[in-house]
Amino acid sequence: MPDAADPAPMNAPSRRRFRREGEERRRQDLIEATLDSVAEHGLQGATLRTIALRAGVTAGLIRHYFPGKEELLQEAYAALMGRMTEQAKAALAMEDASPRQRLAAFVTANLNVPIIDARVFSLWATFIGRAGADPSLARAHREGYLGFRNEVEAVVAEVLAAERREPDAGQLRHHAIAINAIIDGLWIEGCLAGEMFSPGELAAIGIKTVEAELGLVPEREDNQ
Amino acid sequence: MPDAADPAPMNAPSRRRFRREGEERRRQDLIEATLDSVAEHGLQGATLRTIALRAGVTAGLIRHYFPGKEELLQEAYAALMGRMTEQAKAALAMEDASPRQRLAAFVTANLNVPIIDARVFSLWATFIGRAGADPSLARAHREGYLGFRNEVEAVVAEVLAAERREPDAGQLRHHAIAINAIIDGLWIEGCLAGEMFSPGELAAIGIKTVEAELGLVPEREDNQ
DNA sequence: GAGCTTGTTGTGCAAGTGTATAAATAGCCC
DNA sequence: GGGCTATTTATACACTTGCACAACAAGCTC
């Protein structure tokens, strides 16, 4: 008998079986499938049919949860940004540690998996590339960026205070901008060519560079 | 008489007038139009018809110069990368200057127009976002990146030599990676939100951070 | 289990895509 | 100026895309 492996009857025009999922679950599945599709095929390759296939549903269902593709992409981007900033900030949550240790932990967390990740980078670049033309994307980025930089600035202030230094607002801002740049730049290098660096190398470079930026004395290591 | 402004006769099914351009000129025009379209509409919005319209020709002509859209995009990306690395390296060409001055000039050049440019950034991000899925793009990036980093490493070696310091290969590599990251990170910040920084501010931060990274003593300025 | 709600499927469609190819004409050679 | 070549236009085509809508069934309520 042909098609014996398929449980569907031969001649019945039977529909596909399906399950009703909760709304929140379906939305998140669709968003995740969207991010997967965008990461793999780019914004152009992420068609509604591709996304639906990956989410295990049919394309028509997407319209039941999102007004259109545009809104789906926006929500997907928002979800991505939220996850990224959440992970980054989580690294600062060490309560019982010196400011300097917390800063080092922050840098380390941002320069290792899961934040160093080719898929996340691909998504970030794909979306941010449209920030120049899409004001809503630009705003979403700016908010995320400023939030991140403010976190950095707060830690820097603590670190310098512990060192009995009293930077003014402008110096603090410059430190935050520079440290943010260092982390961003190393993050990109790690995402794009992670295998060029030995494990922990990027984090070590990051900590050293950040501490040099702040004028902290190296702790007990000869260096050139 | 209707349509009097249009020089075409009323009833003649006249074709559009055109001029024959040199092959090289046409190819470059098409590539430039491609970059414009990608920057404005993303890879998805850069259709052959959009590109042709911007280049002032009709869509069919593209096939005369490029086998397909894929090849057109690849050549456009190659042209973009070539221009970027060329501009960056040009900043190092100051013959009669101290190594430290050349390094500062290099940083400054990379953190001002025309290298700080929203359009170029948009293009870079759009293309690089596909590097994870497109090996040819990944290779093109890696070559550009390593070329850039080697330039940095060479200048760093000169600067440190002038300071009578003798870093080993590993330290030199780390310096180059860090400085590259600083420039990249500040470049991104400037491209994405240039109006948040006063003119020259990014370059000033960049120089200060780079010199701190290398352990150079600040020249004649109090700082916190 | 009957009935109802609505999550889900499947099909259809107009617009737009890249590509193929024939027809036309610009500009050089003589 | 006449003719030739190949650059350029214009049209056609198969295919994909996002979106609309009607049919269907999963699973809750009673």
Side-chain angles (χ1 to χ4, degrees), chain A residues 15-16 18-21 26 58 64-65:
Chain A
R15 291 193 147 211
R16 177 182 184 180
F18 63 91
R19 283 204 330 152
R20 301 182 119 157
E21 298 284 354
R26 265 285 133 83
T58 54
H64 192 76
Y65 289 100

Side-chain angles (χ1 to χ4, degrees), chain B residues 158-170:
Chain B
E158 288 181 44
V159 170
L160 294 185
E163 301 268 327
R164 312 239 188 273
R165 287 164 56 186
E166 300 175 351
D168 61 36

Side-chain angles (χ1 to χ4, degrees), chain A residues 8-87:
Chain A
M10 209 163 31
N11 57 353
S14 69
R15 291 193 147 211
R16 177 182 184 180
R17 288 266 197 66
F18 63 91
R19 283 204 330 152
R20 301 182 119 157
E21 298 284 354
E23 163 161 356
E24 210 43 50
R25 169 70 185 275
R26 265 285 133 83
R27 289 180 72 88
Q28 268 191 308
D29 281 354
L30 285 173
I31 285 177
E32 203 58 36
T34 302
L35 290 177
D36 282 341
S37 293
V38 172
E40 189 166 344
H41 307 106
L43 280 176
Q44 52 180 346
T47 70
L48 292 181
R49 287 165 175 83
T50 301
I51 293 169
L53 183 68
R54 198 180 280 263
V57 298
T58 54
L61 185 60
I62 294 180
R63 277 266 308 172
H64 192 76
Y65 289 100
F66 301 92
K69 190 187 180 184
E70 185 89 8
E71 290 79 4
L72 173 58
L73 286 175
Q74 278 183 15
E75 288 211 32
Y77 180 62
L80 173 74
M81 288 285 288
R83 220 177 303 169
M84 286 177 71
T85 60
E86 180 190 11
Q87 283 175 331

Side-chain angles (χ1 to χ4, degrees), chain B residues 177-213:
Chain B
I177 292 171
I179 291 174
N180 188 70
I182 293 166
I183 294 175
D184 281 357
L186 291 176
W187 177 72
I188 291 174
E189 300 187 28
C191 290
L192 275 173
E195 72 286 355
M196 285 177 57
F197 308 98
S198 58
E201 186 178 17
L202 280 178
I205 296 175
I207 292 174
K208 207 165 163 184
T209 308
V210 164
E211 296 189 338
E213 213 294 313

Side-chain angles (χ1 to χ4, degrees), chain A residues 21-220:
Chain A
E21 298 284 354
E23 163 161 356
E24 210 43 50
R25 169 70 185 275
R26 265 285 133 83
R27 289 180 72 88
Q28 268 191 308
D29 281 354
L30 285 173
I31 285 177
E32 203 58 36
T34 302
L35 290 177
D36 282 341
S37 293
V38 172
E40 189 166 344
H41 307 106
L43 280 176
Q44 52 180 346
T47 70
L48 292 181
R49 287 165 175 83
T50 301
I51 293 169
L53 183 68
R54 198 180 280 263
V57 298
T58 54
L61 185 60
I62 294 180
R63 277 266 308 172
H64 192 76
Y65 289 100
F66 301 92
K69 190 187 180 184
E70 185 89 8
E71 290 79 4
L72 173 58
L73 286 175
Q74 278 183 15
E75 288 211 32
Y77 180 62
L80 173 74
M81 288 285 288
R83 220 177 303 169
M84 286 177 71
T85 60
E86 180 190 11
Q87 283 175 331
K89 287 183 184 177
L92 281 171
M94 309 164 55
E95 286 297 338
D96 49 350
S98 73
R100 184 166 174 170
Q101 284 175 323
R102 289 178 61 222
L103 178 59
F106 180 70
V107 173
T108 301
N110 276 286
L111 296 178
N112 279 291
V113 286
I115 298 187
I116 291 257
D117 179 76
R119 173 180 173 274
V120 172
F121 173 80
S122 177
L123 287 168
W124 174 84
T126 301
F127 280 110
I128 210 70
R130 293 210 34 172
D134 189 328
S136 73
L137 282 182
R139 186 160 32 81
H141 163 77
R142 170 125 47 187
E143 287 168 8
Y145 165 68
L146 283 180
F148 193 88
R149 206 178 83 185
N150 285 339
E151 295 283 336
V152 171
E153 198 168 309
V155 192
V156 167
E158 289 182 42
V159 171
L160 293 185
E163 299 268 327
R164 312 238 187 275
R165 288 164 55 186
E166 299 175 353
D168 61 37
Q171 289 166 337
L172 218 49
R173 175 167 176 269
H174 278 200
H175 284 313
I177 292 171
I179 291 173
N180 189 69
I182 293 166
I183 294 175
D184 280 358
L186 291 175
W187 177 72
I188 291 174
E189 300 188 28
C191 290
L192 275 173
E195 72 285 355
M196 285 178 57
F197 308 98
S198 59
E201 186 178 17
L202 279 178
I205 295 175
I207 292 173
K208 209 165 164 183
T209 307
V210 165
E211 296 190 336
E213 212 294 313
L214 293 176
L216 304 181
V217 298
E219 35 185 43
R220 191 195 309 270

